[in-house]
Amino acid sequence: MMVSVSFRGSGCWVFAAFLLTACGSTTPAPESDGGVPADGGRRDGGFLDLDAGPRADSGGSAPDGWATFEGIPGCPLTYPVRADAFPPPIKWVDCPSSLNLPGACKRIALGFERPTQSNTILLPQGAAARSDGSIDLTFQVFGESGFDWRAVDGSGATRTLLKSPRRGCGPGTGHGPADGRYALHGYSDSSRATGVAIVGKIGEPPRVAKSYTTQPSIFAFRQGIGEYKGGLRLLDWETSAETTLVPGSSPAFTDLNQIQEVSPRLYGNAGKPFSVYEYSSGTPKKIVAAGRDVGEIGSFAASQERIFWTNIVPDADRLNYTENARYVQALGADGQLSGVRMKLPSVEKQGYSPSAKIGCDILVRAYLDPRPAGDTLGYSTTGGL
């Protein structure tokens, strides 16, 4: 399993291709009732006893099966604590026939209650396979006045739900789960400055790991809570104790993007020119250096066995980059490059795209077509997978 996020951009990048692989593992059969037994008891996954009423740490009472989480100033979030308060499972339907992937592609049916007509209805946050092969997905659903943050299992059942009272505050981007845990930034105003890091296990109530007066970016990693704010830090899941992986003054933090976890290591693309670094030890190590036949690293994807990356060159108007070569090389057990780098075949130049994942020896990429000449948008709006 890998987690990746992207900060860099001319324009907005949306990573919509998730490689959900747990090589050699078996995925438990989904439960038709969404995993909540009729008597409200517990299943083997440690989910909250949904009929037991509010937790002592819930911060409020639970009228009609809802408790209140008071962690965000001026923006109390509610969450369900009884089985009958959860929404019905999401429904999966076949993808459009135009994708030419019969039986191999499903999408979420946008049949949510009272969806907004003036904003995004559903905003994906992330997806990941747990070590046991089961799947977690996280996303936001926007309504007429407020919105929800949901964590859903592979059968479509909602396991964690945070409901914001209005669109101007609430749970922000969380970039996806990690082995059954979630971490996201909760904000209390439209500037998203004042807020908290909301964390927890999927199926259990949320808690505050840290409070902020400036906006951070928060990620869930297997080894801890990632915090991107004036540097990259790792917070302990239980104690919130902090470890600095790279300070903000380091060249290895300059424009840091595409953070990926390949347990027990963290990788990212940073620097001028861009290179791939490892951040796990607290002293950044340069893994793929710009230079030689690679002038600057564009996208990359790492696994336990190998690493993929692209070479990028500035466009003529220097508004963005174009990819003109793609490489792959083995990663040794020590996390360093080994063997010979191989140049992959390429039919044409492509627009720069930061999206790439490797799992089970399969590379998945969201690619962009070359940007049309003279297009002042700065990046292409068409591409594929």
Side-chain angles (χ1 to χ4, degrees):
M1 183 278 291
M2 287 165 290
V3 176
S4 78
V5 292
S6 178
F7 293 99
R8 185 203 308 182
S10 303
C12 292
W13 300 105
V14 178
F15 187 76
F18 302 107
L19 185 60
L20 301 173
T21 54
C23 309
S25 62
T26 301
T27 302
E31 300 175 20
S32 59
D33 62 354
V36 181
D39 60 3
R42 297 174 67 91
R43 296 276 191 206
D44 285 335
F47 294 115
L48 175 68
D49 184 348
L50 297 173
D51 276 347
R55 285 286 190 92
D57 59 358
S58 66
S61 60
D64 301 323
W66 290 84
T68 302
F69 172 68
E70 302 284 1
I72 304 177
C75 187
L77 303 181
T78 55
Y79 59 91
V81 294
R82 289 207 320 251
D84 58 359
F86 275 83
I90 62 172
K91 296 180 180 179
W92 295 94
V93 296
D94 290 333
C95 290
S97 58
S98 59
L99 292 180
N100 196 27
L101 294 170
C105 177
K106 297 286 185 181
R107 64 177 177 86
I108 296 174
L110 299 180
F112 299 101
E113 182 181 359
R114 296 198 307 169
T116 175
Q117 299 300 315
S118 60
N119 206 335
T120 305
I121 294 176
L122 185 148
L123 180 64
Q125 298 278 279
R130 299 194 192 191
S131 54
D132 64 2
S134 58
I135 301 299
D136 294 312
L137 303 96
T138 55
F139 55 89
Q140 292 173 325
V141 180
F142 289 82
E144 291 180 350
S145 56
F147 66 95
D148 301 345
W149 182 92
R150 302 189 187 190
V152 173
D153 66 14
S155 70
T158 299
R159 297 300 192 186
T160 295
L161 171 63
L162 294 170
K163 184 176 289 293
S164 172
R166 59 183 184 274
R167 292 191 199 172
C169 69
T173 301
H175 300 293
D179 208 17
R181 295 181 187 262
Y182 60 91
L184 59 150
H185 175 227
Y187 57 94
S188 61
D189 53 42
S190 58
S191 68
R192 302 196 175 197
T194 304
V196 296
I198 302 174
V199 304
K201 293 181 179 179
I202 293 175
E204 296 186 4
R207 72 174 182 88
V208 170
K210 187 176 179 179
S211 298
Y212 298 93
T213 55
T214 57
Q215 182 180 1
S217 290
I218 302 296
F219 324 108
F221 297 126
R222 288 180 180 241
Q223 55 194 290
I225 305 158
E227 177 193 85
Y228 182 106
K229 187 178 75 71
L232 179 64
R233 284 167 290 277
L234 202 63
L235 280 61
D236 184 88
W237 277 112
E238 304 301 331
T239 66
S240 300
E242 297 182 16
T243 300
T244 297
L245 301 180
V246 56
S249 58
S250 170
F253 184 72
T254 301
D255 291 332
L256 172 59
N257 69 101
Q258 300 177 65
I259 303 172
Q260 298 187 21
E261 180 177 29
V262 184
S263 188
R265 298 184 174 93
L266 290 174
Y267 297 96
N269 193 17
K272 292 183 178 179
F274 283 103
S275 301
V276 178
Y277 290 85
E278 180 198 327
Y279 297 93
S280 304
S281 66
T283 301
K285 303 174 185 176
K286 191 175 288 188
I287 304 299
V288 183
R292 207 176 83 179
D293 53 336
V294 178
E296 192 162 9
I297 309 301
S299 66
F300 82 97
S303 72
Q304 297 282 4
E305 297 82 22
R306 57 189 46 82
I307 187 169
F308 159 88
W309 70 91
T310 67
N311 183 64
I312 55 175
V313 294
D315 293 339
D317 55 13
R318 307 192 74 82
L319 290 177
N320 212 320
Y321 293 89
T322 294
E323 297 178 351
N324 64 359
R326 296 153 191 83
Y327 297 90
V328 66
Q329 190 167 352
L331 272 177
D334 59 356
Q336 298 296 313
L337 293 178
S338 63
V340 178
R341 72 174 62 180
M342 294 178 288
K343 188 175 182 180
L344 299 177
S346 177
V347 294
E348 61 182 13
K349 294 181 180 180
Q350 290 178 346
Y352 164 69
S353 169
S355 301
K357 291 283 187 74
I358 292 180
C360 296
D361 254 1
I362 297 172
L363 171 68
V364 177
R365 294 201 67 217
Y367 71 87
L368 290 173
D369 296 324
R371 181 163 60 97
D375 188 339
T376 58
L377 187 61
Y379 57 94
S380 173
T381 57
T382 62
L385 182 66

